[in-house]
Structures are given as structure tokens and as C-alpha cells.
Amino acid sequence: MKVYLGIDVGSVSTNLVAMSENGEIRENIYLRTQGQPIVTVTRGLKMIEESLGSSCKVKGVGTTGSARYLTAAIVGADAVKNEITAHAVAASYLVPGVQTVLEIGGQDSKIIILRNGVVVDFAMNTVCAAGTGSFLDQQAARLNIPIEKFGELALKARTPVRIAGRCSVFAESDMIHKQQMGHRLEDIIAGLCEALVRNYLNNVGKGKEILPPVVFQGGVAANAGMRQAFAKALETDIIVPRYYNVMGAVGAALLAKEAVQKSGKTKFYGFELTNFTYDASSFECKGCANLCEVIEIRREEEVLARWGDRCGKWSNILSSTATG
């Protein structure tokens, strides 16, 4: 079997996808990053290798997410792209004709506007936690409700209460106030979902032309209450793709395929890369007044990659060594 790998490494989750040459998802893995992206990526690759068998051949690898450069250095990636590109590519592939992508992950959220398959506008919210997966996790834990049941309870609401969702602190204190007033838990949870959707549309989606088909992806798309709240606010159907929680990795795999078709061969180091130890460090270059922080990734004693130097003084040394 020949596959393309997509790896999406974020602050909360690390997602890996193995896609066959004809675009079929053969394996998808969702792992908690737990502050250890290198360990999590190598663990995910071992799981992919075990699942697909030793006869599996990797034809290309793409990386995305906040740790995309680090991951690219470790695995030998053929394509390194930002999350906007990766999510847009995946959404267009799985839902042809999509015009709006709503994406809410563990600690950030984004909106992508596409027209005729091309990204024409986007916005990200990486500052406020209100509405992200981590905030919903916190509220579920505070209410002693499994996060998997959160959306299910929201659908049982009779009269959703109005919750102040502009920020996570206000939302939590308002939920407590509504509980003390005796409102039903289902109505409070549904009210929270509606408040978070209002917050999302007023901040991330502000000024955007949201047209159907609308795709909702990211881990929060599993929450039926949030899906219903978006459908109600936008007055349109909300499409949740089958691989909604690993869409960044799906996009990275597709981009890897495109990159390898141009280059003719992959840079992937092979699954043996999981047997090595890796070390990330940084130093301050004192070559000029910029005082750049240069990131250095080592595999055992070998320097794999450097970046962060504006002039290319350190990264170019490595590139010329590799070329030579």
C-alpha cells in the first residue's frame, strides 16, 4: 500500500492521517499533544506504521499547525503549510463547492471564506478562549458532565437561557448565576452554545459574507448543541464532514501529494525516525542588532534544522551542507 501522510500539530491535539493514492482515508489518529509535540508525533507515526503494516510505503508527508516547522524538520516533510490553507484544501476536497468553513479547535477558532474553490478571506481568533474546545471542556468538568454528553443535553432544552458569552469569565459567572436562579441544566447548556456561537459570529465572523454550503469542522463540531446553535443563527444547514476532527491533517496529506507530484520524490525519513531521540534548543545570534532567536533541532548529535534567523546566516549553512 502507498499512502500520503498529513500531520497537524496544535497546542491541544496532534492529528495524523494516512491517505491512499486515490484519496481514500486509510487511517486517522487524534492524540492529545500534552505539551510534547515531538513525543506525540513519533507516537502517532508508530501507531500509523502498526496499523498499516510493514508493507506500507509513504510517498509523501505534509505538516500544518502551530508546530508545523518543528514537525517538518523531524519527519522530513514535502509540504509545510499554515492551518488556513490546510483546512480550506480539506474542506474543498470532502465538500465540493463549500463557500464557508467554520473551524473551532481546542484553543483557537477560525473562519475561511471560499469562492470557486479559492480562499478569498479568513480570520482567526487566538486570543479569547470563549467558544473554543478547552472552554467547553472546562464547563463540562465544572458541571460534572462528560463532554460527549454536553451537546446531547443541549438538544433537550425547552427554553435556552441567555448567557453572556462575550468572554469566558463572564460566561462562566453568568452560568453560575442562572444555575442559582433555578434554570434547568439543559436550558443553561443550550444557552451557552448559543452564546458562544454569537461570540464567534460577532468576533471571528464579523464582516464576513457567510454563504452556504457551510462546513463546520474541528473538535467542537462533535457538539450537537453547537451545530444546532450555528444552524439557528445562520438559518442554514450545517455540514459536518466525516473527518471533522482531523481536517488539518487531511489537507496536509493532499498538499503533500501535490508537492511530491512536482518534485518526483519524497523527503520523508521513514518510520525509523521514531527510534531516535530529538532535542529542540535555541540561541541568540549576536551577529547584528536584530539579535534573532535561532531555533535548532537535533536528532541525536546531528543538527536537522534551524530557523528564526532573519538573514539566513544559520539556516543557510545547514542548507548548503545538505546540498553539498
Side-chain angles (χ1 to χ4, degrees):
M1 180 193 308
K2 296 177 181 177
V3 298
Y4 293 93
L5 297 182
I7 307 174
D8 180 4
V9 187
S11 56
V12 174
S13 69
T14 294
N15 312 316
L16 295 94
V17 158
M19 178 182 288
S20 69
E21 289 182 288
N22 62 7
E24 183 185 354
I25 308 295
R26 303 304 299 264
E27 185 59 86
N28 70 98
I29 294 172
Y30 179 98
L31 300 170
R32 292 278 181 174
T33 306
Q34 297 181 321
Q36 300 183 73
I38 297 176
V39 172
T40 310
V41 167
T42 54
R43 183 157 66 95
L45 286 172
K46 285 180 179 176
M47 293 169 70
I48 290 273
E49 183 183 21
E50 289 171 5
S51 170
L52 299 179
S54 56
S55 62
C56 172
K57 181 180 179 182
V58 175
K59 292 199 68 178
V61 183
T63 62
T64 188
S66 55
R68 58 186 178 275
Y69 293 111
L70 170 66
T71 308
I74 291 170
V75 303
D78 302 290
V80 186
K81 296 291 182 181
N82 60 58
E83 297 108 303
I84 297 294
T85 302
H87 280 276
V89 166
S92 294
Y93 177 71
L94 294 175
V95 185
V98 58
Q99 296 205 91
T100 306
V101 177
L102 316 173
E103 201 277 339
I104 304 181
Q107 288 191 332
D108 65 12
S109 54
K110 56 184 78 70
I111 185 169
I112 306 170
I113 307 298
L114 299 101
R115 298 292 181 264
N116 300 315
V118 177
V119 175
V120 296
D121 199 4
F122 70 91
M124 293 184 69
N125 180 13
T126 58
V127 177
C128 179
T132 64
S134 58
F135 178 66
L136 288 171
D137 274 346
Q138 288 171 15
Q139 296 312 308
R142 189 181 65 79
L143 295 169
N144 199 26
I145 299 170
I147 187 63
E148 296 80 10
K149 300 287 184 185
F150 213 71
E152 189 180 314
L153 285 172
L155 297 184
K156 295 179 180 175
R158 291 200 292 261
T159 310
V161 298
R162 187 169 180 88
I163 301 287
R166 194 170 62 178
C167 99
S168 57
V169 176
F170 290 159
E172 181 170 329
S173 60
D174 205 20
M175 286 176 67
I176 293 170
H177 177 62
K178 293 298 191 301
Q179 284 178 273
Q180 291 168 339
M181 291 176 67
H183 287 286
R184 296 171 69 240
L185 188 59
E186 292 87 345
D187 293 338
I188 294 173
I189 292 173
L192 176 65
C193 292
E194 292 186 357
L196 299 184
V197 165
R198 278 198 307 276
N199 179 54
Y200 175 93
L201 296 175
N202 290 333
N203 290 286
V204 186
K206 186 177 182 181
K208 308 297 181 200
E209 188 182 27
I210 298 176
L211 297 177
V214 177
V215 168
F216 184 20
Q217 56 196 46
V220 176
N223 187 316
M226 290 293 288
R227 295 199 298 267
Q228 178 177 266
F230 268 122
K232 182 178 177 182
L234 296 174
E235 298 181 338
T236 188
D237 292 334
I238 301 297
I239 302 168
V240 177
R242 179 179 176 185
Y243 300 103
Y244 64 89
N245 60 339
V246 294
M247 292 291 275
V250 171
L254 290 165
L255 290 163
K257 181 179 180 180
E258 184 181 308
V260 172
Q261 284 174 342
K262 291 178 181 175
S263 66
K265 62 178 181 180
T266 181
K267 301 172 186 173
F268 182 50
Y269 294 135
F271 286 112
E272 296 79 10
L273 71 88
T274 60
N275 299 325
F276 295 101
T277 57
Y278 298 87
D279 182 45
S281 60
S282 66
F283 61 90
E284 186 177 85
C285 175
K286 301 186 185 304
C288 72
N290 284 327
L291 301 176
C292 296
E293 182 186 16
V294 182
I295 312 297
E296 189 172 83
I297 306 298
R298 288 178 177 270
R299 180 175 63 193
E300 307 296 345
E301 294 303 318
E302 177 190 4
V303 179
L304 279 182
R306 292 192 188 108
W307 66 83
D309 47 339
R310 298 184 191 180
C311 66
K313 174 182 176 181
W314 297 97
S315 49
N316 287 345
I317 291 174
L318 201 62
S319 301
S320 59
T321 303
T323 304

